[in-house]
Amino acid sequence: MTTLTDPPAESFKLSMLIYDTRYRSITFQTIALIAFLLLIGWLINNTAQNLVDLGKEPSFGFMNEPAGYDINQRLIEYNSQSSHLRAAFVGLLNTLLVAVLGCITATVVGVIVGVLRLSGNWLVARLMTVYVEMFRNVPVLMWIVLAMAILIEGLPSPRDFRGEDAVASMSVFDSVAVTNRGVYVPEPLFARGLGDVSVGGLFEISLDLIAILVVLGGGLFVSNLIKKRADVTQNATGVRPRTWHLRTGVIVVPLLILLVILGFHLGYPELSGFNFSGGIHLRNSLIALWLALSLYTAAFIAEIVRAGIMAISKGQTEAAAALGIRPRRIMSLVILPQALRVIIPPLISQYLNLTKNSSLAIAVGYMDITGTLMGITLNQTGRELETVLLGMLIYLSISLIISSAMNWYNSRVKLVER
Amino acid sequence: MSNTHADTVLFVRDTMLPQQEPPASTVGALGWAKANLFSGWFNTTLTILSALFILYLLSGLVPWFASPTWYAASLTECREILAGHEGACWGVIRERWLQLMFGFYPSELYWRPVLALVLLFVAVAPVLFADYVPSKLLGFTALYPFIAVWLLWGGTIWAPVMALLGFVVAFFVFRYASKQISPALALIAGVIAALLWWMVITPAITPDLSRLLPIGIEAVQSRQFGGFMLSITIGVTAIMCSLPIGILLALGRQSDLVLVKAICVGFIEFIRGVPLITLLFVASTLLNIFMPPGTNFDIILRVMIMVTLFASAYMAEVIRGGLAALPKGQYEGADSLGLDYWQSQRLIIMPQALKISIPGIVSTFIGVFKDTTLVSIISMFDPLGLSNAIRADTAWNGVYWELFIFIGAVFFIFCFSMSRYSMYLERKLQTGHR
């Protein structure tokens, strides 16, 4: 019987820090950490030195001073006496507004174009290819500037609407005025409105809007309950009760009743003097940015949708057909749920891109967070470091929130594998 | 048996019928049209609608494009020539196209950017078309960045030469040291030697060299750069530098070294989370604050650094996708052959991972090139910045379609050819069985 003896214990030598794989990673990481900390320290030291030389103590006190500039497109109350902080908040809301509008429009256009690009119709498929290639291969900033130029130079001015022989006229039953100063659309008004409620002293939200949202949410909830009951009945008896009229009813009827109670009517824009008054005024800058961002992003979404549908093998369609499922239900029950898994991750990154691209608003004068905080506030206060860092932090938080929300959704629809 | 059916079947064919042509409606142009354009009422409606749409577009566009205003000197002159008809005002392109190409670069020196562009194609040819171009040209590719910088900015020849020599010094130090000590330490030694060369020796001897051998061409200031020349300069630099940095970042993100991984993840997520325009604000306002007092380096260089960092973060994620798509067996196979980390990356992993990520890499390139237009926001005169200046000119106030069609077409040509090249490359490197 042989006895195994332990190998003689090696004494630690300095060269083992480099040549021994057990220690090497620690050595290199220590070197990397020291180098990284040195770099950071060097940058901070330089910054501190420079700021002292310039006489600018880093502080965010300026955010409470009056901003002194006006923001024409805004969602909440703001005037030039409001603080820089409030100006930045107005800008943030404007960023979110154009991002949400853009994401919705881009998704709708993108899905339609993506499906049509797969159409058997040669002419339609080619047209959509031209659209996609045209928008994908030209910078988005050019589309934004071009859209702005078209809106300003190509549309009639408000005074063309005046007089007996007006050159221009309002569209959609005289309710929408498309002018080179922006688009005026009817605004919802409430004769017996509930007033506003202040949220934390920051801004005011209309109670009417909250009431409508609550009733709508309740209707959707009840409608979902009815659907679940129908599912249970179907599982038990094999016959699905007809529920569509009930489900539409519980959503529409309470909403209509609420609107009547609130005295809902539309306020139409009217020509008064040299300009329109009344209605909601959508500035050119918002429309140009919205249109250009949506159409540009839609081209990318179309490609994603096309790739997603093409990724589902033809066998799936054939197998579903062999089971006797009708063509429309094949699409909704078999193809789309699988395609969505392929589509959603790149779609999220397109939404993120659109949100980040909305910072190009500064090129057309739309006052988003870049235009307010990193534009006018920076120029007026001369606080480059604070404003730019704060702006970056805000964008970073928006991106992280969107991507984590979307990742949560993605993990819900993900294919469960072994 | 053969007679069983004799009384029920009256006729049995015992020869084959001659083959006939397929029906005329299923072959040729007619058959194609029926299958692709007019199959069913829905498709027919779509076809007719799109045909009407195309006709409407063409009826408006063709006369507009074919407008005889090439020699007009202002928008009013265009309107006189057109006499009330709708039409383009091409005079603005004729008058300003050199500006759109070169910005405010001195016109007698236009040959320099043109030569730099031609040499760029020579330099990238051995990389892009390795099958047709001798690989000896790769030496020229390595020299090209220094030649291009000298051609574009001009000045004494000794600055780029000394910069180049720094790399040569680093290489020789590395080669000599790697025989003595471990390669990683040798790499650090090489980098330190190069830094010493650039920071100590170069400032000491360049002025003397320039005085002794005054070889140089007229210097051009960065603020005179503009137009597509500026876009291409920034774009090409960012594209060339972002690929290697992106590869390193992707490897760092995949690495087992916790700290390196954390730094890489933090960098990538930070850069991807903020818009490029905020990074350009950093370049134009903050970068000088981060540097030692008194440093004031060139605005184009600052923008290039930021665009490169931006592109590398996206590149890193694309390459990480390629790395993740490789089967684990490839890593294990490389290990079992006894290759060390860098060898396995260089010989086994990267060639496959990069091949998988070609579409993503090229679309990042295209994105970077398009994003160079953002420099117009920090008041540099790229084509879009120039277009604003031209539209503010009294002679051309009110012109926009012509300018943007021209700028868009040039961008389209560049970006579309890049995407076509990526398709060609994918087909060429295709090794799967089809």
Side-chain angles (χ1 to χ4, degrees), chain A residues 18-19 25-26 28-33 36 42-43 46-51 53-54 116 119-124 127 133-142 145-146 149-150 153-154 296 300 353 355-357 359-360 362-363 370 374-375 378 384-385 388-389 391-393 395-396 399-400, chain B residues 32 35-37 43-44 46-47 50-51 53-54 180-182 184-185 188 256-260 263 269-270 272-275 277-279 281-282 285-286 288-294 314 366 370 373-374 376-377 384 387-388 391 397-401 404-405 407-408 411-412 415-416 419-420:
Chain A
I18 299 164
Y19 295 111
S25 75
I26 300 173
F28 283 135
Q29 291 197 67
T30 318
I31 294 176
L33 179 66
F36 183 67
W42 183 69
L43 289 179
N46 287 336
T47 312
Q49 181 71 43
N50 280 315
L51 287 179
D53 291 355
L54 291 170
L116 284 183
S119 149
N121 190 315
W122 183 85
L123 201 59
V124 172
L127 263 183
E133 294 296 350
M134 194 170 87
F135 272 86
R136 277 204 313 175
N137 287 311
V138 173
V140 60
L141 185 58
M142 202 202 92
V145 178
L146 176 63
I150 296 172
E153 317 251 359
Y296 178 78
F300 288 86
N353 278 347
T355 311
K356 285 184 279 173
N357 280 340
S359 60
L360 299 179
I362 198 168
T370 317
M374 285 183 273
L378 188 156
E384 304 97 355
L385 188 70
V388 172
L389 287 187
M392 286 178 131
L393 199 67
Y395 273 112
L396 200 57
S399 303
L400 290 181
Chain B
W32 180 87
N36 290 303
L37 296 176
N43 255 343
T44 311
L46 273 184
T47 307
S50 5
F53 176 68
I54 294 173
Q180 320 286 328
I181 45 178
S182 86
L185 280 188
I188 295 173
D256 297 329
L257 310 177
V258 185
L259 201 75
V260 174
I263 294 173
E269 292 303 327
F270 172 71
R272 277 163 39 94
V274 299
I277 187 70
T278 61
L279 292 177
F281 280 140
V282 170
T285 62
L286 286 187
N288 274 342
I289 294 188
F290 291 150
M291 290 292 126
Y314 282 83
I366 295 176
K370 287 188 296 181
T373 50
L374 265 62
S376 65
I377 293 177
L384 280 185
S387 80
N388 289 336
R391 286 170 59 210
N397 195 347
V399 166
Y400 54 103
W401 276 116
F404 287 127
I405 286 177
I407 297 170
F411 270 105
F412 184 88
C415 298
F416 194 68
S419 73
R420 289 293 123 161

Side-chain angles (χ1 to χ4, degrees), chain B residues 30-41:
Chain B
L30 201 64
W32 180 87
K34 199 179 171 194
N36 290 303
L37 296 176
F38 302 105
S39 58
W41 63 269

